[in-house]
Amino acid sequence: MNGKITEINNRKIGKNQPPYIIAEVSANHNGDINRAFELIKSAHEAGADAVKLQTYTADTMTIDCDNEEFMIRDGLWDGYKLYDLYKWAETPFEWHRSIFDYAAELGITVFSTPFDETAVDLLESLNTPAYKIASFEATDLPLIKYVASTGKPIIMSTGLCTEDEVEEAVVTARDAGCTDLILLHCISSYPAPMDQANLAQIQTLAKRFNTISGLSDHTLGTTASVAAVALGARVIEKHFTLSRSDKGPDSIFSIEPNELKHLCQDACNAWSAVGKPGFNRQTSEESNLRFRRSIYFVRDLKAGAPITESDIRRIRPGFGLAPKYFEKLIGKRVAADVKAGTATSWELICE
């Protein structure tokens, strides 16, 4: 984990900071703005740091075309035409101001993933505090350049990307003015198989590109996200729904409110548990030092008597000399009368 720090709405992200948890609303509003409001409120109550939208329309994503290339033939959205899928999933531009205002009233950060320049312009008019670049747009260098020119922090997912493609995106963003860049490891599969989560890549991204790194998690449940924090992830993005039974476009791989609450708690606990390397004794351990073994007299001895192997034992508690001195004490003489059950000490031993 490098020493970089980024701020979004005065919340520091990076070294020595707890993980930044993003609840991805995506299409889980199911076309209902009131449901979007419910999602934002629920995410806030669960403890998320931010909610994230996706800003596009079907017409800014693709064209209404029936050619086979525009059809989805496998996976979660099998049988959909691209245009129809995005029409179903879009967050209308006219909702955005109300959503931003509502989030501000609650006190939770909201930002979005723009998918073209018109979306960036809309989000700039709302003074978005940050931008997200989706994995599928990580090779859209003109879009990245346009977003970076705003000077706002960028969180970029790297799903599907080769190392060279990530480097191109990073160089483009930085050359265009982005000074606060976070890279998210991501497996662009919906849902992503747990055995392909490849969380080790989180540390690689941070070192290779000198950035804060994190995880955009499409696996089921929250295990991968919590494990990622232990591996150095400082940002966790997770799709969020009120109920998977509502069957929205992204519901099957989204977590529900109670799961989001546990994710926020468990991620912070994992971060706290990592600590710092070293052999320093923790304060919580101090009171248990007494239960270590140490050397005790197990027979009464008169002053001047030699100590034999049967006179002392290595037992609990730990108020006597350390066990490593056992053989050194054999043959020494006691400096005063001692009773069985007395802890050994150098003051009781004749030189």
Side-chain angles (χ1 to χ4, degrees):
M1 181 67 203
N2 63 47
K4 287 185 171 294
I5 293 288
T6 288
E7 286 192 19
I8 297 177
N9 268 355
N10 299 317
R11 166 64 154 87
K12 292 182 178 180
I13 305 169
K15 187 178 181 181
N16 299 327
Q17 301 300 317
Y20 189 78
I21 309 298
I22 303 169
E24 166 67 272
V25 171
S26 184
N28 285 322
H29 51 67
N30 289 0
D32 182 350
I33 192 171
N34 291 316
R35 183 181 172 86
F37 293 152
E38 289 182 63
L39 282 160
I40 294 167
K41 182 179 180 182
S42 183
H44 178 56
E45 291 173 346
D49 294 286
V51 290
K52 193 185 75 64
L53 311 175
Q54 293 187 5
T55 304
Y56 63 83
T57 67
D59 290 299
T60 65
M61 288 290 275
T62 189
I63 59 173
D64 189 1
C65 180
D66 295 329
N67 290 350
E68 183 61 25
E69 293 93 333
F70 291 81
M71 299 297 298
I72 303 172
R73 293 303 184 192
D74 56 18
L76 182 61
W77 303 293
D78 182 35
Y80 272 92
K81 185 169 67 174
L82 283 177
Y83 188 89
D84 294 339
L85 174 63
Y86 298 134
K87 194 67 179 175
W88 178 30
E90 68 185 13
T91 301
F93 278 30
E94 58 268 23
W95 289 9
H96 280 62
R97 183 168 295 280
S98 295
I99 289 173
F100 270 67
D101 289 346
Y102 183 69
E105 289 175 14
L106 292 180
I108 186 169
T109 295
V110 62
F111 57 95
S112 188
T113 300
F115 288 83
D116 80 325
E117 288 79 357
T118 66
V120 178
D121 293 343
L122 170 64
L123 293 169
E124 276 298 288
S125 74
L126 300 172
N127 196 27
T128 184
Y131 286 94
K132 168 73 190 299
I133 299 294
S135 289
F136 291 85
E137 274 59 46
T139 56
D140 189 349
L141 301 185
L143 176 62
I144 292 172
K145 182 177 180 180
Y146 195 73
V147 171
S149 69
T150 68
K152 303 284 180 64
I154 294 177
I155 300 172
M156 186 185 305
S157 283
T158 59
L160 302 171
C161 290
T162 65
E163 182 178 357
D164 287 345
E165 287 171 338
V166 176
E167 183 167 16
E168 284 183 328
V170 168
V171 169
T172 297
R174 286 174 171 162
D175 286 351
C178 177
T179 57
D180 293 302
L181 178 65
I182 298 171
L183 294 180
L184 302 187
H185 171 56
C186 177
I187 301 299
S188 295
S189 177
Y190 307 93
M194 189 66 75
D195 63 355
Q196 296 180 34
N198 197 31
L199 299 182
Q201 179 68 359
I202 292 166
Q203 295 177 339
T204 298
L205 285 173
K207 293 175 182 177
R208 170 68 176 80
F209 298 103
N210 192 29
T211 64
I212 299 165
S213 63
L215 176 68
S216 179
D217 182 17
H218 297 138
T219 64
L220 299 179
T222 61
T223 300
S225 289
V226 176
V229 172
L231 289 172
R234 289 296 172 261
V235 175
I236 298 294
E237 179 186 66
K238 191 75 176 171
H239 284 250
F240 172 60
T241 185
L242 295 175
S243 174
R244 282 186 292 273
S245 64
D246 290 340
K247 304 298 183 185
D250 299 335
S251 59
I252 192 172
F253 57 92
S254 298
I255 57 174
E256 296 179 345
N258 190 53
E259 293 170 304
L260 178 61
K261 181 178 180 180
H262 283 295
L263 170 60
C264 293
Q265 294 170 343
D266 292 346
C268 283
N269 286 339
W271 169 74
S272 296
V274 170
K276 299 177 181 179
F279 296 97
N280 296 327
R281 185 177 296 129
Q282 299 299 313
T283 56
S284 61
E285 297 180 290
E286 296 290 344
S287 63
N288 284 324
L289 281 171
R290 70 181 73 180
F291 301 120
R292 279 181 159 182
R293 286 181 181 264
S294 67
I295 305 171
Y296 270 74
F297 291 103
V298 293
R299 289 184 178 180
D300 294 348
L301 293 175
K302 293 292 184 180
I307 300 171
T308 68
E309 194 167 336
S310 60
D311 294 326
I312 55 176
R313 285 182 59 193
R314 305 182 313 277
I315 60 173
R316 296 185 182 187
F319 297 105
L321 295 172
K324 66 183 180 179
Y325 296 114
F326 187 85
E327 292 183 3
K328 188 173 183 179
L329 292 179
I330 303 301
K332 297 284 187 180
R333 295 182 181 274
V334 291
D337 292 353
V338 295
K339 290 186 174 296
T342 300
T344 58
S345 68
W346 293 120
E347 289 76 13
L348 291 173
I349 307 301
C350 291
E351 291 296 330

